[in-house]
PDB file of all heavy atoms in Angstrom:
ATOM      1  N   PHE A 454      14.234  22.738 -55.410  1.00 40.00           N
ATOM      2  CA  PHE A 454      14.566  23.344 -54.094  1.00 40.00           C
ATOM      3  C   PHE A 454      14.169  24.735 -54.037  1.00 40.00           C
ATOM      4  O   PHE A 454      13.418  25.288 -53.187  1.00 40.00           O
ATOM      5  CB  PHE A 454      16.055  23.230 -53.793  1.00 40.00           C
ATOM      6  CG  PHE A 454      16.466  23.961 -52.618  1.00 40.00           C
ATOM      7  CD1 PHE A 454      16.255  23.437 -51.369  1.00 40.00           C
ATOM      8  CD2 PHE A 454      17.031  25.206 -52.744  1.00 40.00           C
ATOM      9  CE1 PHE A 454      16.610  24.129 -50.233  1.00 40.00           C
ATOM     10  CE2 PHE A 454      17.366  25.893 -51.617  1.00 40.00           C
ATOM     11  CZ  PHE A 454      17.205  25.392 -50.327  1.00 40.00           C
ATOM     12  N   ARG A 850      -4.366  23.115  -4.313  1.00 98.00           N
ATOM     13  CA  ARG A 850      -5.606  22.540  -3.788  1.00 98.00           C
ATOM     14  C   ARG A 850      -5.465  22.258  -2.362  1.00 98.00           C
ATOM     15  O   ARG A 850      -4.316  22.001  -1.830  1.00 98.00           O
ATOM     16  CB  ARG A 850      -5.954  21.268  -4.596  1.00 98.00           C
ATOM     17  CG  ARG A 850      -5.314  20.036  -4.020  1.00 98.00           C
ATOM     18  CD  ARG A 850      -5.713  18.747  -4.766  1.00 98.00           C
ATOM     19  NE  ARG A 850      -7.109  18.487  -4.772  1.00 98.00           N
ATOM     20  CZ  ARG A 850      -7.888  17.994  -3.785  1.00 98.00           C
ATOM     21  NH1 ARG A 850      -7.297  17.774  -2.602  1.00 98.00           N
ATOM     22  NH2 ARG A 850      -9.129  17.842  -3.981  1.00 98.00           N
ATOM     23  N   HIS A 851      -6.582  22.142  -1.689  1.00 97.00           N
ATOM     24  CA  HIS A 851      -6.620  21.503  -0.361  1.00 97.00           C
ATOM     25  C   HIS A 851      -8.035  21.119  -0.031  1.00 97.00           C
ATOM     26  O   HIS A 851      -8.964  21.914  -0.165  1.00 97.00           O
ATOM     27  CB  HIS A 851      -6.061  22.395   0.767  1.00 97.00           C
ATOM     28  CG  HIS A 851      -6.033  21.723   2.079  1.00 97.00           C
ATOM     29  ND1 HIS A 851      -5.340  20.575   2.242  1.00 97.00           N
ATOM     30  CD2 HIS A 851      -6.642  21.997   3.220  1.00 97.00           C
ATOM     31  CE1 HIS A 851      -5.485  20.115   3.546  1.00 97.00           C
ATOM     32  NE2 HIS A 851      -6.338  20.956   4.147  1.00 97.00           N
ATOM     33  N   PRO A 855     -11.680  13.962   6.855  1.00 72.00           N
ATOM     34  CA  PRO A 855     -12.605  13.754   8.003  1.00 72.00           C
ATOM     35  C   PRO A 855     -11.918  13.979   9.335  1.00 72.00           C
ATOM     36  O   PRO A 855     -12.587  14.187  10.326  1.00 72.00           O
ATOM     37  CB  PRO A 855     -13.058  12.310   7.783  1.00 72.00           C
ATOM     38  CG  PRO A 855     -12.683  11.972   6.458  1.00 72.00           C
ATOM     39  CD  PRO A 855     -11.532  12.826   6.029  1.00 72.00           C
ATOM     40  N   ASP A 882      13.424  16.181 -34.979  1.00 98.00           N
ATOM     41  CA  ASP A 882      12.593  17.347 -34.659  1.00 98.00           C
ATOM     42  C   ASP A 882      12.811  17.695 -33.170  1.00 98.00           C
ATOM     43  O   ASP A 882      12.481  16.800 -32.379  1.00 98.00           O
ATOM     44  CB  ASP A 882      11.120  17.116 -35.034  1.00 98.00           C
ATOM     45  CG  ASP A 882      10.898  17.055 -36.533  1.00 98.00           C
ATOM     46  OD1 ASP A 882      11.630  16.252 -37.185  1.00 98.00           O
ATOM     47  OD2 ASP A 882      10.038  17.792 -37.001  1.00 98.00           O
ATOM     48  N   THR A1012      13.193  39.622   1.570  1.00 98.00           N
ATOM     49  CA  THR A1012      11.753  39.601   1.817  1.00 98.00           C
ATOM     50  C   THR A1012      11.487  40.233   3.206  1.00 98.00           C
ATOM     51  O   THR A1012      12.404  40.525   3.949  1.00 98.00           O
ATOM     52  CB  THR A1012      11.179  38.200   1.836  1.00 98.00           C
ATOM     53  OG1 THR A1012      11.823  37.412   2.894  1.00 98.00           O
ATOM     54  CG2 THR A1012      11.427  37.487   0.503  1.00 98.00           C
ATOM     55  N   GLN A1104      11.957  -0.287 -31.382  1.00 98.00           N
ATOM     56  CA  GLN A1104      11.193  -0.415 -32.612  1.00 98.00           C
ATOM     57  C   GLN A1104      10.035   0.566 -32.680  1.00 98.00           C
ATOM     58  O   GLN A1104       9.644   0.924 -33.749  1.00 98.00           O
ATOM     59  CB  GLN A1104      10.677  -1.901 -32.755  1.00 98.00           C
ATOM     60  CG  GLN A1104      11.734  -2.882 -33.105  1.00 98.00           C
ATOM     61  CD  GLN A1104      11.304  -4.341 -33.276  1.00 98.00           C
ATOM     62  OE1 GLN A1104      11.706  -5.221 -32.555  1.00 98.00           O
ATOM     63  NE2 GLN A1104      10.361  -4.536 -34.192  1.00 98.00           N
ATOM     64  N   PRO A1142     -17.530  27.649 -21.845  1.00 90.00           N
ATOM     65  CA  PRO A1142     -18.240  27.778 -23.161  1.00 90.00           C
ATOM     66  C   PRO A1142     -19.315  26.838 -23.355  1.00 90.00           C
ATOM     67  O   PRO A1142     -19.394  25.755 -22.748  1.00 90.00           O
ATOM     68  CB  PRO A1142     -17.100  27.643 -24.197  1.00 90.00           C
ATOM     69  CG  PRO A1142     -16.109  26.739 -23.489  1.00 90.00           C
ATOM     70  CD  PRO A1142     -16.122  27.126 -22.082  1.00 90.00           C
ATOM     71  N   CYS A1144     -20.586  24.638 -26.338  1.00 91.00           N
ATOM     72  CA  CYS A1144     -19.945  24.162 -27.581  1.00 91.00           C
ATOM     73  C   CYS A1144     -20.838  23.173 -28.322  1.00 91.00           C
ATOM     74  O   CYS A1144     -21.641  22.444 -27.693  1.00 91.00           O
ATOM     75  CB  CYS A1144     -18.638  23.481 -27.345  1.00 91.00           C
ATOM     76  SG  CYS A1144     -17.390  24.568 -26.523  1.00 91.00           S
TER      77      CYS A1144
ATOM     78  N   PHE B  39     -18.404  16.655  13.570  1.00 40.00           N
ATOM     79  CA  PHE B  39     -17.755  15.751  12.722  1.00 40.00           C
ATOM     80  C   PHE B  39     -18.727  14.845  12.040  1.00 40.00           C
ATOM     81  O   PHE B  39     -18.728  14.595  10.855  1.00 40.00           O
ATOM     82  CB  PHE B  39     -16.755  14.946  13.541  1.00 40.00           C
ATOM     83  CG  PHE B  39     -16.180  13.828  12.745  1.00 40.00           C
ATOM     84  CD1 PHE B  39     -15.106  14.047  11.911  1.00 40.00           C
ATOM     85  CD2 PHE B  39     -16.613  12.561  12.919  1.00 40.00           C
ATOM     86  CE1 PHE B  39     -14.560  13.083  11.095  1.00 40.00           C
ATOM     87  CE2 PHE B  39     -16.064  11.478  12.223  1.00 40.00           C
ATOM     88  CZ  PHE B  39     -15.029  11.754  11.284  1.00 40.00           C
ATOM     89  N   ARG B 399     -13.884  19.686 -17.172  1.00 94.00           N
ATOM     90  CA  ARG B 399     -15.310  19.588 -17.391  1.00 94.00           C
ATOM     91  C   ARG B 399     -15.702  18.174 -17.943  1.00 94.00           C
ATOM     92  O   ARG B 399     -16.848  17.736 -17.708  1.00 94.00           O
ATOM     93  CB  ARG B 399     -15.687  20.637 -18.395  1.00 94.00           C
ATOM     94  CG  ARG B 399     -17.153  20.950 -18.478  1.00 94.00           C
ATOM     95  CD  ARG B 399     -17.272  21.991 -19.586  1.00 94.00           C
ATOM     96  NE  ARG B 399     -18.517  22.783 -19.415  1.00 94.00           N
ATOM     97  CZ  ARG B 399     -18.837  23.726 -20.228  1.00 94.00           C
ATOM     98  NH1 ARG B 399     -18.141  23.997 -21.286  1.00 94.00           N
ATOM     99  NH2 ARG B 399     -20.006  24.379 -20.014  1.00 94.00           N
ATOM    100  N   ARG B 435       5.894  14.309 -34.776  1.00 98.00           N
ATOM    101  CA  ARG B 435       5.923  15.278 -35.828  1.00 98.00           C
ATOM    102  C   ARG B 435       7.180  15.096 -36.685  1.00 98.00           C
ATOM    103  O   ARG B 435       8.142  14.513 -36.269  1.00 98.00           O
ATOM    104  CB  ARG B 435       5.900  16.732 -35.223  1.00 98.00           C
ATOM    105  CG  ARG B 435       7.283  17.199 -34.825  1.00 98.00           C
ATOM    106  CD  ARG B 435       7.322  18.623 -34.346  1.00 98.00           C
ATOM    107  NE  ARG B 435       6.683  19.636 -35.187  1.00 98.00           N
ATOM    108  CZ  ARG B 435       7.182  20.124 -36.280  1.00 98.00           C
ATOM    109  NH1 ARG B 435       8.373  19.772 -36.687  1.00 98.00           N
ATOM    110  NH2 ARG B 435       6.588  21.034 -36.956  1.00 98.00           N
ATOM    111  N   HIS B 436       7.107  15.584 -37.883  1.00 97.00           N
ATOM    112  CA  HIS B 436       8.245  15.831 -38.711  1.00 97.00           C
ATOM    113  C   HIS B 436       7.902  16.836 -39.821  1.00 97.00           C
ATOM    114  O   HIS B 436       6.985  16.772 -40.449  1.00 97.00           O
ATOM    115  CB  HIS B 436       8.813  14.530 -39.354  1.00 97.00           C
ATOM    116  CG  HIS B 436      10.078  14.753 -40.129  1.00 97.00           C
ATOM    117  ND1 HIS B 436      11.197  15.267 -39.438  1.00 97.00           N
ATOM    118  CD2 HIS B 436      10.402  14.657 -41.378  1.00 97.00           C
ATOM    119  CE1 HIS B 436      12.170  15.409 -40.362  1.00 97.00           C
ATOM    120  NE2 HIS B 436      11.699  15.017 -41.584  1.00 97.00           N
ATOM    121  N   PRO B 440      14.553  22.924 -45.388  1.00 72.00           N
ATOM    122  CA  PRO B 440      14.943  23.297 -46.772  1.00 72.00           C
ATOM    123  C   PRO B 440      16.161  22.484 -47.297  1.00 72.00           C
ATOM    124  O   PRO B 440      16.306  22.452 -48.490  1.00 72.00           O
ATOM    125  CB  PRO B 440      15.374  24.777 -46.518  1.00 72.00           C
ATOM    126  CG  PRO B 440      14.837  25.179 -45.232  1.00 72.00           C
ATOM    127  CD  PRO B 440      14.681  23.941 -44.422  1.00 72.00           C
ATOM    128  N   ASP B 467      -1.680  17.551   0.396  1.00 98.00           N
ATOM    129  CA  ASP B 467      -2.473  16.959  -0.673  1.00 98.00           C
ATOM    130  C   ASP B 467      -1.643  16.322  -1.732  1.00 98.00           C
ATOM    131  O   ASP B 467      -0.728  16.961  -2.225  1.00 98.00           O
ATOM    132  CB  ASP B 467      -3.451  18.016  -1.320  1.00 98.00           C
ATOM    133  CG  ASP B 467      -4.504  18.562  -0.393  1.00 98.00           C
ATOM    134  OD1 ASP B 467      -4.120  18.968   0.680  1.00 98.00           O
ATOM    135  OD2 ASP B 467      -5.661  18.606  -0.844  1.00 98.00           O
ATOM    136  N   THR B 597       9.879  -9.902 -31.134  1.00 98.00           N
ATOM    137  CA  THR B 597       9.286  -9.177 -32.325  1.00 98.00           C
ATOM    138  C   THR B 597       9.776  -9.861 -33.583  1.00 98.00           C
ATOM    139  O   THR B 597      10.549 -10.773 -33.567  1.00 98.00           O
ATOM    140  CB  THR B 597       9.799  -7.754 -32.324  1.00 98.00           C
ATOM    141  OG1 THR B 597      11.228  -7.736 -32.474  1.00 98.00           O
ATOM    142  CG2 THR B 597       9.390  -6.971 -31.072  1.00 98.00           C
ATOM    143  N   GLN B 689       8.878  30.750   0.842  1.00 98.00           N
ATOM    144  CA  GLN B 689       7.751  31.610   1.184  1.00 98.00           C
ATOM    145  C   GLN B 689       6.577  31.433   0.295  1.00 98.00           C
ATOM    146  O   GLN B 689       5.455  31.625   0.686  1.00 98.00           O
ATOM    147  CB  GLN B 689       8.222  33.100   1.218  1.00 98.00           C
ATOM    148  CG  GLN B 689       9.017  33.351   2.471  1.00 98.00           C
ATOM    149  CD  GLN B 689       9.479  34.819   2.646  1.00 98.00           C
ATOM    150  OE1 GLN B 689      10.614  35.132   2.669  1.00 98.00           O
ATOM    151  NE2 GLN B 689       8.543  35.736   2.696  1.00 98.00           N
ATOM    152  N   CYS B 729     -17.881  27.058 -30.375  1.00 91.00           N
ATOM    153  CA  CYS B 729     -18.145  27.452 -28.991  1.00 91.00           C
ATOM    154  C   CYS B 729     -18.547  28.873 -28.875  1.00 91.00           C
ATOM    155  O   CYS B 729     -18.126  29.686 -29.627  1.00 91.00           O
ATOM    156  CB  CYS B 729     -16.940  27.149 -28.091  1.00 91.00           C
ATOM    157  SG  CYS B 729     -16.355  25.462 -28.168  1.00 91.00           S
TER     158      CYS B 729
END
Side-chain angles (χ1 to χ4, degrees):
Chain A
F454 172 79
R850 85 179 307 283
H851 184 60
D882 290 52
T1012 61
Q1104 286 183 240
C1144 300
Chain B
F39 173 78
R399 197 185 205 181
R435 85 178 307 283
H436 184 59
D467 291 52
T597 61
Q689 287 183 239
C729 300

